Amino acid sequence: TMKTIRKGWFAVGVLFLLVLMGPGYAAPEQNKDQKAMKFLALQIAKNDRTKSSSDVTLDDVRSVKKLIILSANLTDEQMEYFPYARSLEVLEIDAGQKLIGSGLRHLKELPKLRKLTVAGSAATNDSMRHLGEMRGLHTLILSYNTALTDKGLEHIAKLDKLERLMIDSVSDEGLIHIG
């Protein structure tokens, strides 16, 4: 019948469009979700040697409490994936110079984050303002961050729950900001 023929041609048209757009096509938001899942699954698998990244589920991503990232290639763009891991309490990043700090703003979306380590990055004084908004932090470790100076501590002084701060790129005068 005519209805069946139309449905058939519609299906052929949709299939043709999918082939034309290629195998990597996905709606922009879905593509971001897929990238985030892939990135976080890989990081979880690196931390939990009993799982491969293909075994990591969305529940695993949402419930992970601690991640240690050792990647000289971590970028500010990849930082936007961390809010998918809503239960993160401890995040330790040894990043490398591709992380300049603007991506740190995404970590404000982690309500349970209590300990943060950012090491080996090119995070700037200005990027410290994002950390200054993370009021739940108890421990902050900033080591080997080549662009961080005394001025960045002004933002860190806003962390009223901070119990432990380790920082190696400031002078004694800079410590005045955190009193």
Side-chain angles (χ1 to χ4, degrees):
T1 68
M2 235 11 207
K3 227 179 205 182
T4 306
I5 292 172
R6 282 187 195 146
K7 284 182 182 177
W9 279 109
F10 177 75
V12 169
V14 169
L15 183 60
F16 175 75
L17 283 174
L18 288 174
V19 169
L20 187 66
M21 288 184 251
Y25 176 77
E29 197 57 37
Q30 181 183 13
N31 196 15
K32 177 186 168 193
D33 290 346
Q34 289 173 342
K35 285 181 181 179
M37 184 65 183
K38 184 177 179 181
F39 173 80
L40 290 169
L42 181 61
Q43 302 308 322
I44 290 169
K46 286 180 180 178
N47 282 258
D48 180 355
R49 304 243 186 235
T50 64
K51 292 186 178 193
S52 72
S53 61
S54 60
D55 295 332
V56 176
T57 67
L58 183 57
D59 285 339
D60 292 330
V61 169
R62 289 182 178 156
S63 64
V64 66
K65 302 239 185 269
K66 180 178 181 178
L67 275 178
I68 299 171
I69 313 291
L70 303 173
S71 173
N73 295 317
L74 186 67
T75 65
D76 287 294
E77 290 76 28
Q78 290 170 319
M79 297 296 286
E80 74 178 320
Y81 303 147
F82 287 105
Y84 286 81
R86 302 288 300 165
S87 296
L88 263 181
E89 296 174 7
V90 176
L91 179 58
E92 298 178 14
I93 302 170
D94 191 346
Q97 297 296 304
K98 290 184 180 180
L99 181 68
I100 59 170
S102 61
L104 294 174
R105 73 182 179 276
H106 299 291
L107 300 182
K108 295 183 292 190
E109 299 174 45
L110 295 170
K112 297 179 180 181
L113 192 64
R114 300 297 175 253
K115 179 182 178 186
L116 175 64
T117 300
V118 179
S121 78
T124 64
N125 292 327
D126 188 51
S127 66
M128 291 300 110
R129 68 185 155 90
H130 304 301
L131 299 184
E133 295 175 27
M134 298 173 64
R135 301 303 171 126
L137 281 181
H138 292 262
T139 302
L140 179 60
I141 301 170
L142 301 167
S143 57
Y144 305 106
N145 295 294
T146 57
L148 191 57
T149 66
D150 293 348
K151 186 143 180 73
L153 289 180
E154 294 174 15
H155 303 292
I156 294 169
K158 299 174 186 173
L159 299 174
D160 51 357
K161 293 183 181 175
L162 196 64
E163 297 170 359
R164 183 174 179 214
L165 173 66
M166 292 178 61
I167 189 166
D168 61 8
S169 59
V170 297
S171 68
D172 291 341
E173 291 84 31
L175 294 176
I176 293 171
H177 294 295
I178 51 176

